[in-house]
Amino acid sequence: MDLVSGYKGVFGLVFGNENSSNEDSYVERLLDRISNGKLAEDRRNAITELQAIVSESQAAQLAFGAMGFPVLLSVLREEHDDVEMVRGALETLVSALTPINHAKGSSNEVQPALMNTDLLSREAESISLLLSLLTEDDFYVRYYTLQLLTALLTNSPQRLQEAILTIPRGITRLMDMLMDREVIRNEALLLLTHLTCEAEEIQKIVVFEGAFEKIFSIIKEEGGSDGGVVVQDCLELLNNLLRKNASNQVLLRETIGLDSLISILKLRGSGYTFTQQKTINLLSALETINLLIKVGSDADPGKDLNKQTNKRTLIQKKLLDYLLMLSVESQWAPVAVRCAALRCIGDLIAGDSKNCDVLSSKFLGEEPQVEPALNSILRIILRTSSMQEFIAADFVFKSFCEKNADGQSMLASTLIPQPYSMNYAPLEEDVNMSFGSMLLHGLTLGENDGDLEVCGRAASVLSHVLKDNLHCKDRVLRIRIEAPVPSLGAPEPLMHRMVKYLALASSMKSKDGKSRSSENSYIQEYILKLLVTWLADCPAAVHCFLDARPHLTYLLELVSNLSETVCVRDLAAVVLGECVIYNKSSDSAKDAFAIVDMMSQKIGLSSYFLMFDEMQKSFAFANIESSLNLKSFTRSSAASMEDIADSDNNDLSEQKNMDHPILSSILDSYFVNLVKGLEADIREQIVEAFSHPKVQVAVVPAELEQKMGESDGEYIRRLKAFLEKQCSEIQDLLSRNASLAEDLARTGGGSNSQSEQRVSGSSDKVQINALSRDLQETSKRLEMLKAEKAEVESEARKNRTLAEKMEADLRSLSGAYNSLEQSNIEQEKQVKALKSGAPSTFLDLEAIKAEAREEAQKESEGELNDLLVCLGQEQSKVDRLSARLLELGEDVDKLLEGVGDDVGNVEDDEDDEGTE
């Protein structure tokens, strides 16, 4: 009864001692009748009454949780033969775990259903018991068991997942339910959907049990995309199995293939009516496609390879045709479906030049109105009234142009200006235009509100075409746009027209910002993004931009205009910086230094660098992940059409936050990284230009002319003093400018008082810099001396080793000499002994002794001479090394201390022996 005692503690804590309430006593009597009743019919009636009260009263649910679980689990465990009792027990347990929908009470109110779920899921044996009931023959037993498991999983998913993994054949029994009767199959689908959510081990086991075959079999039986909510449940389960699980994706591709999935997207002859459920089914299938092909930012190479294989397979299966049908040709399809299909097209071709070529070769429509698919997608961008559809179609061109220089060149080659009559023709007359002509038509359509919106969208596409492609940038620079009235002037470059529309968009917004739609608020951002992309690493584009002097003036005003959004001012600041770092002009009025000088006067370098810090802290630049992710549709999230309707229905007209969907598409990861890279170059180049101003030819002041009666020597001395003074002042100014610019670049600016303090302390910094250079030179010299010292010490160690070897040789020679002397002494003793015995023999021995001594002396003298020569040579080396060590400040006596002592001792011994 540990189960009951543990629960009573919680029950008493929440509700005190109200156990005498009517519900508690009634539940207790019913439980007593169930456990102790003698008549089977009475026990069945009691369990029926218990189920009724538990399903209607929260107090009864609490009372049941405190006392009833052991009773009903005992019924399930011991009374398999009484089907009605088992049914009643299961239905009562389901009621005890199902929340009762009453009016909302206090937020701190205890939910009995959740407490009962937690209590039941703690008992591992209860889960095993419920799974065993799935093998029962009775339909209602299996049905209520699945409902009970689903309720447990909804409220305690992790605990139930762990329990099922420990039960042998637990998942197998659940998978068998997919082949059961329709009602049980549907319940099993819901249960498996909850069970496989973020549980990789269970996902693998479910797939091993044949989940893919069973899922697609059910989808086919239900009618594919035209089916009901069961198809949605199947696709949701499929997505759970494939999401972030590369091994399951490989199994799907290599076992049953992807044809069954693609067939769901195929529109049939009678399927051009889109119900709410069909829309949800198509969106779920498109989410499945997205899971197979979309590569995340943190994906490893193995996962990338799997995604590329999925893309190739899907392209071979003609998926692109079905996606184009859904997104472009089926304009009667819901906007949400068209947007999801366009995003799938973008993911399908992203980073794959072959897939990009396949898309560029596709033609849509019927004769004679056949046109390339890219033209049709561009028309969607220019014409659609849906913000989300424009973002999705723009994403297709972004993916097409990314790392696809050939595709960019192909699109840029069609950018041929049309006659004035075509440029200002209505937008509807672009059906027979080429891609480039249609794009230029959108860029130069007109100057009223709606036309500027089209211009901003076209500018976004052009920025993709120009991205990282110098050839395309130069080609577009040569495009000239005719003036509305030829007499007003020659054709102007396309870039100048873009700057003109940028200024018009700013002025129109300042006049009446409230009446503009949400898209119009971002015309400036799109045109500024185009300019940033165009000017990047392209001096010719910078030269073209600066050809019209008002452009620079307007840009400075835009940067300093506090009524503009943060994004507009920051992007304008980046364009200004590009005019500095990519400026190759030789004209003193518009070279890099002149622009830096204007920025310093009109904006202030501190304020300018502060804008970069402000930009880095903004939400859009901090969150560079694209917002184009597909939404997962479940029964709860797709309960009404409002959940899948286009977000344009929401009131976005007043939304100015940095997380606006359009702004998220403008500031994608590539563009944000480009701007961050440019920032470092801009800071460095401005510091360089500010600290090393250009040399100008100065006019000699009148006071420097030679005065009347002034001698040449005095004149020369006066000029020399003036020049020295000027040079000193110039050097001081240069050092002040350099230190000030470095501080601004490092700190991003500051208050006026801080700037004054930095200027006043700049001379000290110059001195510190000079001292730092001297210290570096001294350190280098010290390192060189240390290296020389180490070399000399190494040579000294070698010589010391050689001297020790010589000493060892001398000691061995001395030992040989001593042994020879000892032999002579013994021989002398023998001679004395022989003298006394035989005088003639003594004479012979004396002669032999004299001869041996003479021979030994000659041999020892030769060896000693050789050793003395070697010692003399080594002594000269030691003298030179000693002199070098003295120069380096080393104590030579300490280094040579002990060397030769042993030799001296040996020589002393020899002298003593010789004396003897």
Side-chain angles (χ1 to χ4, degrees):
M1 296 300 291
D2 293 338
L3 196 66
V4 176
S5 61
Y7 195 88
K8 280 184 176 179
V10 179
F11 182 85
L13 181 64
V14 178
F15 293 96
N17 295 319
E18 297 181 0
N19 295 332
S20 61
S21 65
N22 294 332
E23 288 85 353
D24 296 349
S25 59
Y26 185 40
V27 169
E28 186 175 3
R29 288 197 302 273
L30 292 175
L31 290 172
D32 182 67
R33 286 169 58 190
I34 294 170
S35 58
N36 299 320
K38 302 300 182 181
L39 299 176
E41 191 63 29
D42 181 57
R43 298 177 66 215
R44 296 190 191 104
N45 292 336
I47 208 168
T48 302
E49 294 177 23
L50 180 62
Q51 188 275 328
I53 189 174
V54 168
S55 65
E56 296 176 357
S57 171
Q58 288 187 341
Q61 283 186 339
L62 280 171
F64 174 81
M67 301 174 284
F69 281 115
V71 176
L72 294 192
L73 289 177
S74 176
V75 171
L76 296 178
R77 188 180 301 109
E78 300 172 1
E79 302 188 34
H80 285 183
D81 296 335
D82 194 338
V83 176
E84 289 189 21
M85 283 291 292
V86 173
R87 284 184 190 175
L90 289 171
E91 192 172 2
T92 304
L93 289 172
V94 171
S95 299
L97 271 57
T98 303
I100 299 175
N101 296 324
H102 288 312
K104 291 185 178 179
S106 172
S107 58
N108 296 326
E109 183 179 350
V110 175
Q111 297 294 328
L114 296 180
M115 296 179 69
N116 291 343
T117 302
D118 180 72
L119 182 62
L120 182 59
S121 62
R122 287 181 183 179
E123 295 295 325
E125 294 182 0
S126 64
I127 308 299
S128 177
L129 176 61
L130 293 175
L131 287 176
S132 67
L133 294 177
L134 293 177
T135 60
E136 296 293 328
D137 295 332
D138 186 74
F139 168 81
Y140 287 101
V141 170
R142 300 196 304 275
Y143 177 71
Y144 290 135
T145 300
L146 288 173
Q147 282 194 326
L148 186 56
L149 289 171
T150 303
L152 284 172
L153 190 60
T154 303
N155 298 323
S156 300
Q158 186 173 1
R159 191 175 296 166
L160 187 61
Q161 289 169 352
E162 294 173 355
I164 289 179
L165 282 174
T166 61
I167 298 171
R169 291 185 54 80
I171 296 177
T172 303
R173 292 173 184 172
L174 294 176
M175 291 298 297
D176 291 340
M177 297 297 101
L178 292 180
M179 308 308 293
D180 209 318
R181 294 166 61 177
E182 184 175 339
V183 176
I184 292 182
R185 179 200 68 186
N186 296 345
E187 288 295 328
L189 270 176
L190 291 176
L191 176 60
L192 287 169
T193 300
H194 289 294
L195 193 62
T196 54
C197 185
E198 299 181 359
E200 187 173 352
E201 290 299 322
I202 295 180
Q203 291 171 6
K204 292 180 179 179
I205 298 174
V206 169
V207 169
F208 182 76
E209 294 290 339
F212 291 142
E213 293 86 348
K214 294 174 182 177
I215 287 173
F216 285 110
S217 174
I218 296 172
I219 291 175
K220 186 176 181 180
E221 290 178 7
E222 295 292 322
S225 61
D226 294 316
V229 71
V230 176
V231 175
Q232 177 189 346
D233 293 338
C234 287
L235 290 171
E236 187 179 349
L237 173 59
L238 178 64
N239 293 340
N240 284 349
L241 299 176
L242 298 178
R243 187 176 291 109
K244 298 179 182 179
N245 198 320
S247 60
N248 283 354
Q249 293 181 14
V250 173
L251 282 173
L252 173 63
R253 185 179 67 241
E254 295 182 355
T255 54
I256 67 171
L258 303 178
D259 297 278
S260 300
L261 174 61
I262 297 174
S263 65
I264 301 173
L265 301 174
K266 185 176 181 180
L267 296 179
R268 294 162 180 81
S270 60
Y272 293 111
T273 56
F274 289 83
T275 62
Q276 174 182 347
Q277 188 58 56
K278 180 173 181 177
T279 300
I280 297 173
N281 292 343
L282 286 172
L283 289 172
S284 299
L286 289 170
E287 182 188 2
T288 308
I289 298 294
N290 184 266
L291 293 173
L292 292 173
I293 63 178
K294 187 173 181 62
V295 179
S297 58
D298 57 346
D300 56 41
K303 290 184 179 178
D304 283 343
L305 180 61
N306 177 53
K307 301 292 185 182
Q308 292 299 325
T309 305
N310 290 340
K311 288 182 180 181
R312 276 198 309 272
T313 304
L314 291 169
I315 284 288
Q316 292 170 359
K317 301 293 184 181
K318 307 297 182 184
L319 172 66
L320 192 56
D321 294 336
Y322 301 130
L323 293 177
L324 288 170
M325 173 64 72
L326 280 173
S327 60
V328 182
E329 293 188 280
S330 299
Q331 289 303 305
W332 53 86
V335 174
V337 173
R338 299 204 303 267
C339 293
L342 285 169
R343 286 191 285 266
C344 281
I345 292 175
D347 289 327
L348 194 62
I349 65 175
D352 195 314
S353 58
K354 292 183 179 179
N355 290 356
C356 289
D357 294 339
V358 173
L359 176 61
S360 63
S361 65
K362 293 292 182 182
F363 285 82
L364 304 179
E366 298 179 357
E367 294 292 346
Q369 299 294 330
V370 177
E371 66 174 354
L374 290 176
N375 289 29
S376 302
I377 298 174
L378 177 61
R379 183 176 293 104
I380 292 174
I381 291 177
L382 300 179
R383 289 187 180 183
T384 183
S385 60
S386 166
M387 175 194 69
Q388 293 290 353
E389 189 172 18
F390 154 61
I391 294 175
D394 184 72
F395 177 66
V396 175
F397 280 103
K398 175 184 179 297
S399 301
F400 181 83
C401 295
E402 191 107 24
K403 300 178 182 179
N404 184 16
D406 293 338
Q408 290 174 301
S409 300
M410 183 268 293
L411 295 179
S413 65
T414 63
L415 290 168
I416 302 173
Q418 298 294 311
Y420 170 77
S421 59
M422 287 297 296
N423 283 342
Y424 290 87
L427 191 62
E428 289 74 14
E429 296 184 9
D430 62 359
V431 177
N432 297 319
M433 289 184 181
S434 65
F435 174 87
S437 299
M438 193 189 311
L439 184 59
L440 287 175
H441 187 201
L443 288 168
T444 60
L445 191 59
E447 300 178 3
N448 53 40
D449 193 8
D451 295 338
L452 284 180
E453 177 188 334
V454 175
C455 173
R457 296 181 177 187
S460 178
V461 177
L462 183 59
S463 66
H464 299 319
V465 176
L466 301 182
K467 181 169 54 181
D468 291 336
N469 195 314
L470 191 58
H471 172 73
C472 291
K473 293 178 182 180
D474 292 335
R475 184 183 185 93
V476 178
L477 277 176
R478 296 192 293 268
I479 295 177
R480 296 292 185 270
I481 306 299
E482 291 185 11
V485 180
S487 61
L488 294 179
E492 61 179 334
L494 177 62
M495 178 179 285
H496 291 194
R497 182 66 63 87
M498 292 296 98
V499 180
K500 175 183 176 182
Y501 287 165
L502 176 64
L504 282 173
S506 179
S507 62
M508 293 174 69
K509 184 171 68 173
S510 62
K511 289 178 183 178
D512 186 13
K514 293 184 178 180
S515 64
R516 299 165 58 81
S517 63
S518 60
E519 293 92 340
N520 294 356
S521 302
Y522 295 92
I523 295 171
Q524 293 170 282
E525 284 86 345
Y526 274 119
I527 297 179
L528 284 169
K529 178 182 179 180
L530 171 62
L531 292 177
V532 171
T533 306
W534 202 342
L535 298 183
D537 203 22
C538 186
V542 173
H543 180 77
C544 179
F545 179 82
L546 296 175
D547 267 349
R549 182 149 184 98
H551 290 177
L552 189 58
T553 305
Y554 167 69
L555 208 58
L556 290 167
E557 294 176 354
L558 192 61
V559 172
S560 57
N561 187 358
L562 297 179
S563 64
E564 294 290 351
T565 64
V566 173
C567 186
V568 168
R569 291 188 289 112
D570 291 343
L571 292 180
V574 175
V575 175
L576 265 180
E578 288 180 314
C579 291
V580 175
I581 62 178
Y582 300 120
N583 192 320
K584 305 298 182 184
S585 176
S586 58
D587 188 350
S588 60
K590 55 183 180 183
D591 61 3
F593 179 77
I595 296 174
V596 172
D597 191 42
M598 293 179 67
M599 291 165 58
S600 178
Q601 295 178 13
K602 298 290 182 66
I603 307 172
L605 292 183
S606 60
S607 299
Y608 179 77
F609 287 125
L610 270 175
M611 300 186 72
F612 284 104
D613 295 337
E614 183 183 36
M615 177 173 59
Q616 297 294 346
K617 295 175 183 177
S618 65
F619 173 82
F621 277 81
N623 183 23
I624 64 174
E625 288 298 323
S626 175
S627 63
L628 299 177
N629 295 325
L630 284 177
K631 179 181 178 182
S632 298
F633 290 96
T634 61
R635 286 192 177 188
S636 58
S637 66
S640 66
M641 267 317 265
E642 293 179 0
D643 293 321
I644 59 172
D646 183 24
S647 60
D648 287 343
N649 295 333
N650 300 327
D651 185 15
L652 295 174
S653 60
E654 300 299 325
Q655 188 174 356
K656 304 293 182 183
N657 297 329
M658 293 296 285
D659 59 347
H660 191 282
I662 284 188
L663 196 57
S664 299
S665 71
I666 295 173
L667 302 177
D668 57 24
S669 58
Y670 166 83
F671 186 69
V672 169
N673 290 330
L674 170 65
V675 171
K676 288 181 179 179
L678 286 172
E679 178 194 353
D681 295 337
I682 291 171
R683 290 180 184 270
E684 181 180 353
Q685 193 66 28
I686 288 179
V687 169
E688 181 71 18
F690 204 64
S691 58
H692 298 88
K694 60 183 179 180
V695 179
Q696 295 181 340
V697 179
V699 179
V700 179
E703 60 268 16
L704 292 184
E705 296 180 359
Q706 191 171 7
K707 299 177 181 179
M708 293 296 293
E710 187 178 22
S711 65
D712 291 343
E714 292 176 352
Y715 179 56
I716 290 173
R717 282 193 296 273
R718 187 162 57 84
L719 288 178
K720 184 178 180 181
F722 177 79
L723 289 175
E724 289 176 352
K725 180 181 178 182
Q726 291 290 340
C727 288
S728 177
E729 292 178 355
I730 289 172
Q731 290 299 324
D732 184 53
L733 288 173
L734 286 175
S735 58
R736 287 175 60 193
N737 288 345
S739 62
L740 177 60
E742 288 175 1
D743 287 346
L744 289 173
R746 189 183 309 111
T747 63
S751 63
N752 293 333
S753 61
Q754 291 173 342
S755 299
E756 292 173 359
Q757 292 173 2
R758 284 195 295 269
V759 172
S760 64
S762 60
S763 59
D764 294 337
K765 291 185 178 179
V766 172
Q767 295 178 0
I768 292 173
N769 291 336
L771 291 174
S772 298
R773 287 193 296 271
D774 294 341
L775 180 60
Q776 290 177 357
E777 293 177 359
T778 305
S779 299
K780 291 181 181 178
R781 178 62 179 165
L782 181 61
E783 292 296 330
M784 292 175 60
L785 291 175
K786 286 182 178 179
E788 292 181 3
K789 176 185 175 183
E791 184 178 354
V792 171
E793 289 178 349
S794 175
E795 190 172 355
R797 283 194 296 271
K798 291 180 181 178
N799 291 330
R800 191 181 299 116
T801 303
L802 184 59
E804 290 173 355
K805 182 179 179 183
M806 293 295 183
E807 290 174 10
D809 292 341
L810 285 173
R811 283 195 295 270
S812 65
L813 182 60
S814 176
Y817 186 81
N818 291 335
S819 63
L820 182 62
E821 287 293 328
Q822 185 67 27
S823 178
N824 287 338
I825 293 171
E826 292 178 356
Q827 288 179 359
E828 287 178 353
K829 291 180 179 179
Q830 293 177 1
V831 167
K832 290 179 180 179
L834 290 173
K835 276 183 180 181
S836 60
S840 60
T841 306
F842 172 74
L843 296 175
D844 294 337
L845 289 174
E846 285 288 334
I848 292 170
K849 178 181 176 183
E851 184 178 354
R853 183 178 298 174
E854 181 180 358
E855 184 177 353
Q857 186 173 0
K858 289 181 180 179
E859 183 178 356
S860 62
E861 286 178 355
E863 292 179 357
L864 284 172
N865 289 335
D866 293 339
L867 287 173
L868 289 174
V869 171
C870 292
L871 286 173
Q873 293 175 352
E874 296 303 319
Q875 182 63 38
S876 63
K877 291 183 181 180
V878 170
D879 293 339
R880 289 199 301 273
L881 291 174
S882 299
R884 183 56 178 165
L885 289 171
L886 287 173
E887 292 177 2
L888 296 175
E890 292 291 329
D891 191 347
V892 180
D893 295 333
K894 288 184 178 181
L895 289 175
L896 297 179
E897 185 176 357
V899 177
D901 291 343
D902 296 340
V903 178
N905 294 335
V906 173
E907 291 176 354
D908 293 340
D909 294 339
E910 291 176 355
D911 293 339
D912 295 339
E913 291 172 1
T915 303
E916 291 175 2

